Amino acid sequence: MALKPTTSRQQKHLAVLIDADNASAAIVEGLFEEIAKYGLASVKRIYGDWTLPNLGGWKQVLLDYSIQPIQQFAYTKGKNATDSSLIIDAMDLLYTRRFDGFCLVSSDSDFTRLAARLREEGLEVIGFGEQKTPKPFVTACDKFIYTELLRADADIPESEPTTPTTTPDTPAPKAESQPATTPVPAAVAPQKIPVKLITKVIDDISDEEGWGHMAALGENLRKLKSDFDPRLYGYKKLTDLIKARNGQFELQERGTTATGGKVLYVRNRKSGK
């Protein structure tokens, strides 16, 4: 089962393994804020040759974030012993059966097989890396988050609702011109919203009237595209993105009989009746 943002009552235990050679210390604050959405970082280890000056940035933040540095000398020039050390530790931690998932922080495709192996054991794998990360590693993870977003996360403004949500007794508003997209942070290359993919998923999960559960939409999008992230398109949440496309999609709030809370449903306007 995919890891979702958790509450204190259902805390997931995660092992965070960082490849210091392929990750910048500038992401550390955003990294652990993001990880906290999915569970508790029970183990935090970072791998590299700490005798080298290029890891100086990480040395300054290790104590602040209680990250355990693992020293790994390069045995041969041109060979990355750090990767092997991280992989061995990951397998050791896997067989303790104490973790619900792993967070692999690297832009290196050498961890593709590791991600796949962890998933074979039924564990969730969340990858973190730069946009240059090779596609095989991205798709090998259940979810992949680009670290450029972690540096610029505070600069992404909250999107304002463009139209009120509808209820079963309220007719859907007429399609309006699409509002200007919220500016994407400078650190992230602008990407086009995958409207066709979103529409396809809504069609797949919808009922006879075209309505689909909003939570199911987000979950299925991540299954089909592990690096799907509303922040890549200028929105903090998927709901904000859907509201901004009010000419294409519409939202509906429904009450739940069990808790009395509200549940969001989404529909492609073109399929509405």
Side-chain angles (χ1 to χ4, degrees):
M1 181 178 293
L3 287 181
K4 300 178 181 178
T6 62
T7 65
S8 58
R9 295 182 179 179
Q10 53 180 92
Q11 198 70 274
K12 304 291 186 179
H13 291 277
L14 305 174
V16 181
L17 307 180
I18 305 171
D19 175 10
D21 296 328
N22 283 284
S24 168
I27 68 169
V28 66
E29 181 177 359
L31 173 67
F32 286 105
E33 287 179 357
E34 189 74 21
I35 291 173
K37 297 177 184 178
Y38 298 94
L40 177 65
S42 302
V43 167
K44 293 182 283 187
R45 298 179 184 175
I46 185 167
Y47 301 78
D49 186 348
W50 300 99
T51 64
L52 301 178
N54 62 304
L55 300 185
W58 278 110
K59 292 178 183 177
Q60 298 174 16
V61 300
L62 296 183
L63 291 178
D64 293 339
Y65 290 88
S66 298
I67 309 172
Q68 179 185 3
I70 306 297
Q71 171 62 32
Q72 182 59 60
F73 293 104
Y75 298 121
T76 305
K77 187 175 181 180
K79 300 293 183 180
N80 196 340
T82 298
D83 292 0
S84 299
S85 179
L86 189 155
I87 292 170
I88 291 170
D89 271 11
M91 298 308 295
D92 286 343
L93 293 171
L94 166 66
Y95 290 122
T96 66
R97 307 298 180 187
R98 295 188 292 113
F99 299 94
D100 300 292
F102 281 73
C103 297
L104 304 179
V105 186
S106 179
S107 301
D108 193 340
S109 62
D110 288 347
F111 298 111
T112 301
R113 180 56 188 145
L114 172 62
R117 181 68 182 88
L118 295 172
R119 292 179 67 187
E120 288 172 3
E121 292 292 324
L123 298 183
E124 189 80 2
V125 178
I126 305 175
F128 295 85
E130 297 179 357
Q131 288 187 298
K132 67 180 182 180
T133 304
K135 200 65 175 178
F137 181 35
V138 173
T139 56
C141 299
D142 292 283
K143 181 174 180 61
F144 197 90
I145 300 167
Y146 292 116
T147 53
E148 288 90 346
L149 292 170
L150 304 182
R151 295 193 188 99
D153 186 63
D155 297 329
I156 303 177
E158 292 282 0
S159 301
E160 294 295 331
T162 56
T163 58
T165 55
T166 63
T167 63
D169 299 326
T170 304
K174 295 181 179 180
E176 300 176 3
S177 59
Q178 180 186 345
T181 304
T182 305
V184 177
V188 182
Q191 293 192 19
K192 183 179 179 181
I193 297 175
V195 176
K196 289 185 178 180
L197 175 63
I198 296 174
T199 301
K200 179 184 183 304
V201 174
I202 292 176
D203 290 342
D204 290 342
I205 65 173
S206 63
D207 57 20
E208 293 181 355
E209 295 184 348
W211 291 103
H213 199 290
M214 190 68 181
L217 172 62
E219 185 173 344
N220 280 272
L221 283 171
R222 286 188 290 272
K223 287 179 180 178
L224 294 173
K225 185 176 171 61
S226 62
D227 59 346
F228 179 86
D229 194 320
R231 291 172 295 184
L232 289 173
Y233 315 109
Y235 299 92
K236 279 193 173 182
K237 299 179 180 179
L238 178 59
T239 305
D240 295 332
L241 187 155
I242 294 296
K243 288 178 179 178
R245 301 287 304 192
N246 67 312
Q248 179 78 30
F249 308 111
E250 59 181 314
L251 289 173
Q252 184 184 91
E253 284 186 349
R254 301 180 187 178
T256 58
T257 56
T259 63
K262 295 292 184 180
V263 177
L264 274 178
Y265 284 78
V266 61
R267 177 169 68 173
N268 178 16
R269 288 191 185 280
K270 293 181 180 179
S271 65
K273 297 181 179 180

